[in-house]
Amino acid sequence: MSWFESFVLGLVQGLTEFLPISSSAHLRLTAAFAGWHDPGAAFTAISQIGTEAAVLIYFRKDIARILSAWFRSLTDKQMCGDHDAQMGWLVIVGSIPIGVLGITLKDQIEGPFRDLRLIATTLIVMGVVLGIADRLAARDEVGGKHRAVKERKTLKDLGIRDGLIFGFCQAMALIPGVSRSGATISGGLLMGYTRESAARYSFLLAIPAVLASGAYELKDVGEGHVSWGPTIFATLVAFFVGYAVIAWFMKFITTKSFMPFVIYRVALGILLFILISAGVLSPHAGESAG
């Protein structure tokens, strides 16, 4: 992997990680369209450490408060009812599905799941799901001629059942094209949570999963065409770009619809199917060399 490739892929990772359009799919597609080797699941997982570092900084006050309350709850039973302490436990509970499935499906994640036809399918299907979830949330927020505005749930209403559902939604993002934020936010909206609450828990929930996955994949750096230097460079680029994107996205979702992302996902998925059917793009582009 050249330094230019690592810069572009780091830029793509930073731009797409927090948006509901799938960063892993865009890394795969960027390489395929450019005629580069598939960067692979290991590069994707490690570069996500950069964007996750942006989450740690952006939510540093929330994370510090949750960690402090959680550690105190281990020895002080009175802290067990504290909301921040409960959030700590809920992040752990919500991380179980992706941990189990990530290990179980490791071979599929690194192989069959990177087929561009599957990515095109998940882009379209999850785009439709996000669109439905967005419309339901908008209906509750705005109401209508014969409907009153419906109050949606916040993180104070989050329990173990919903935490696990969020976790299974996040685990779906093991398939490129699904989108970690897209799946968890869609799940949250369908369960009746506000946009801001669904996104906040989505980003907090991603922290242990992304850091653990990235650390696990460190052993594979240096194998094949991906080396340490370009990987670290891409991770740094992803960090700086990702921090700017997450700050913008958290402001965006409080007042805007997800429909632009829905349209983009569906259009990109259809375009992929057209290019593959026409023979312009191979569903396994870059895989043999990557």
Side-chain angles (χ1 to χ4, degrees):
M1 177 181 291
S2 69
W3 291 98
F4 176 70
E5 286 179 50
S6 68
F7 171 76
V8 172
L9 293 175
L11 184 64
V12 170
Q13 169 62 30
L15 287 171
T16 59
E17 172 65 17
F18 304 117
L19 305 182
I21 56 176
S22 180
S23 61
S24 57
H26 280 75
L27 289 176
R28 176 79 176 90
L29 293 175
T30 299
F33 282 125
W36 300 337
H37 299 332
D38 179 0
F43 176 88
T44 300
I46 295 169
S47 65
Q48 286 177 338
I49 293 177
T51 43
E52 213 52 42
V55 172
L56 292 174
I57 294 177
Y58 186 83
F59 290 111
R60 60 189 180 279
K61 294 182 180 179
D62 298 54
I63 294 170
R65 194 177 63 249
I66 290 170
L67 285 175
S68 175
W70 182 79
F71 277 113
R72 281 184 287 152
S73 73
L74 297 177
T75 56
D76 185 354
K77 292 184 178 180
Q78 292 183 342
M79 288 295 299
C80 292
D82 182 84
H83 172 66
D84 289 324
Q86 291 175 344
M87 277 298 298
W89 286 111
L90 288 169
V91 168
I92 294 173
V93 168
S95 300
I96 293 174
I98 196 170
V100 173
L101 293 175
I103 294 173
T104 304
L105 301 175
K106 184 178 186 300
D107 292 339
Q108 286 75 21
I109 294 169
E110 296 177 348
F113 284 1
R114 302 186 73 78
D115 188 307
L116 296 183
R117 291 166 297 192
L118 178 59
I119 291 176
T121 301
T122 53
L123 281 169
I124 294 171
V125 172
M126 290 308 298
V128 172
V129 171
L130 178 62
I132 293 172
D134 183 70
R135 286 300 179 90
L136 290 175
R139 186 179 66 179
D140 289 347
E141 293 164 354
V142 178
K145 187 175 182 181
H146 302 291
R147 294 191 311 271
V149 173
K150 182 179 179 181
E151 185 175 353
R152 303 206 117 221
K153 294 189 285 188
T154 68
L155 291 183
K156 290 184 178 180
D157 302 304
L158 186 64
I160 293 177
R161 184 189 72 90
D162 287 358
L164 279 173
I165 294 175
F166 267 111
F168 278 108
C169 290
Q170 176 180 237
M172 292 173 62
L174 292 170
I175 304 174
V178 170
S179 169
R180 186 190 311 274
S181 64
T184 49
I185 291 174
S186 294
L189 294 179
L190 290 173
M191 286 189 287
Y193 286 86
T194 65
R195 300 168 192 270
E196 194 273 340
S197 293
R200 186 171 291 268
Y201 184 62
S202 169
F203 294 146
L204 292 175
L205 188 61
I207 294 173
V210 171
L211 294 182
S213 175
Y216 178 79
E217 295 290 358
L218 287 174
K219 61 180 176 32
D220 292 332
V221 177
E223 297 182 2
H225 70 286
V226 179
S227 56
W228 274 104
T231 301
I232 293 173
F233 180 54
T235 302
L236 289 173
V237 172
F239 164 72
F240 288 108
V241 176
Y243 186 83
V245 172
I246 192 173
W248 170 82
F249 186 64
M250 290 304 294
K251 294 179 181 177
F252 175 90
I253 59 174
T254 59
T255 58
K256 305 295 184 180
S257 166
F258 287 118
M259 289 311 294
F261 302 115
V262 172
I263 294 170
Y264 173 78
R265 288 182 63 105
V266 173
L268 179 59
I270 293 173
L271 175 62
L272 273 178
F273 274 126
I274 292 174
L275 294 177
I276 292 171
S277 298
V280 176
L281 191 64
S282 167
H284 305 288
E287 283 187 0
S288 59

